[in-house]
Amino acid sequence: MDLYASIAQRKSCRKYDMEPLSREAMDEIERAIEGFDHLYPTVELEHRFTKKVKGRFRVEAPHYLVASGNGAPGEQEAAGFLFEQLALWFDAMDIGCVWLGSSKDTETSDTNQDIIVLAFGNCPESVHRTIDQFKRQPIEDMTNAPDDACIQAAHLAPSGMNTQPWYFEKQGDRVLVYEKKLKPPISLAYKLSDIDMGIGLCHYALACKKAGGDFAFARDAGIPSKAGYLPFGVIE
């Protein structure tokens, strides 16, 4: 399925019809996840479904997907990259969803390796929005190449507390990627920026694929420093 079109229409849904999805629909979700691209082939992620979570930003939904790992480096952005594809797939299937930071599965006590939660289900209202309904900082604040279609797609990516922590600096055939240094009080409460970076990279990769280009990303702390940002990696 072409997920690119959903980038410009997906919205975060917080009101759900509490009727569970069918077993067939849940099986289709599993098959979709198996077909998604991974940011890092060597980083292994797991997921499970639960019906109850708790947390500051919890919403009532019939289903929750819990992404988890093994404590390896890069898991946060890898989870954002992988499961943002699911969020866009949900949009294409007219299923609502929303990322939930600081939420915990209450159906198990083994949550130490859990990374992020995605609530989903059918919604009483439209799961789509128009491009003028996106609230984003000016694209010129996040790149030196605002006319680049791949960066424009990343500009529409969701992020926790709408922090939009990414900066894409185009240099010839490669793009240097930076992560914003959050300031207090947000920095004291929010620790999931790497997940957001993976979500932004997912949008970039899908736009690149749509244009027929290749996408490869690697973490690189050695790229030139940038005031207000941390070096994150390189797209080539």
Side-chain angles (χ1 to χ4, degrees):
M1 179 182 292
D2 180 10
L3 302 178
Y4 177 76
S6 289
I7 288 175
Q9 68 179 30
R10 176 197 170 264
K11 72 176 182 181
S12 297
C13 299
R14 293 179 172 83
K15 294 183 179 180
Y16 293 89
D17 175 348
M18 294 304 293
E19 183 70 23
L21 299 179
S22 68
R23 181 68 262 168
E24 292 76 14
M26 296 299 290
D27 289 342
E28 189 174 3
I29 291 168
E30 287 282 16
R31 290 192 294 271
I33 294 171
E34 291 176 1
F36 293 150
D37 293 331
H38 289 255
L39 183 61
Y40 307 129
T42 59
V43 173
E44 296 185 4
L45 297 172
E46 299 178 358
H47 69 273
R48 65 182 183 276
F49 299 107
T50 186
K51 294 182 178 180
K52 294 182 180 181
V53 301
K54 63 179 180 179
R56 181 179 179 185
F57 303 107
R58 182 183 64 87
V59 301
E60 292 288 346
H63 304 282
Y64 304 92
L65 178 144
V66 182
S68 61
N70 300 299
E75 284 183 347
Q76 282 203 359
E77 64 262 32
F81 187 93
L82 177 63
F83 292 105
E84 177 64 5
Q85 292 170 81
L86 179 61
L88 295 169
W89 185 89
F90 280 144
D91 173 89
M93 298 296 289
D94 289 322
I95 298 172
C97 72
V98 63
W99 290 96
L100 299 180
S102 303
S103 293
K104 291 289 186 180
D105 183 359
T106 60
E107 294 190 327
T108 179
S109 59
D110 185 14
T111 62
N112 289 337
Q113 300 298 339
D114 291 349
I115 301 169
I116 191 68
V117 173
L118 190 67
F120 66 95
N122 290 319
C123 298
E125 302 173 351
S126 174
V127 302
H128 313 303
R129 59 179 161 177
T130 56
I131 193 70
D132 60 294
Q133 293 176 310
F134 281 78
K135 296 180 180 180
R136 297 290 185 267
Q137 65 181 330
I139 191 170
E140 292 80 7
D141 292 350
M142 56 163 281
T143 183
N144 66 337
D147 295 327
D148 186 287
C150 298
I151 296 174
Q152 289 173 352
H155 180 235
L156 296 177
S159 56
M161 304 178 74
N162 205 25
T163 53
Q164 303 167 67
W166 37 72
Y167 190 93
F168 297 89
E169 185 167 314
K170 195 168 185 179
Q171 292 190 351
D173 294 333
R174 67 176 191 163
V175 176
L176 307 184
V177 183
Y178 295 88
E179 180 179 336
K180 185 186 299 181
K181 296 179 183 177
L182 301 181
K183 299 179 180 179
I186 294 177
S187 61
L188 301 177
Y190 190 69
K191 307 295 184 182
L192 301 178
S193 287
D194 282 2
I195 294 175
D196 298 331
M197 296 298 292
I199 292 172
L201 288 169
C202 170
H203 282 215
Y204 187 106
L206 288 171
C208 189
K209 183 177 181 180
K210 181 70 174 181
D214 296 324
F215 172 85
F217 172 79
R219 285 294 291 258
D220 187 349
I223 62 176
S225 61
K226 187 175 186 64
Y229 292 85
L230 297 170
F232 196 76
V234 179
I235 299 171
E236 294 184 304

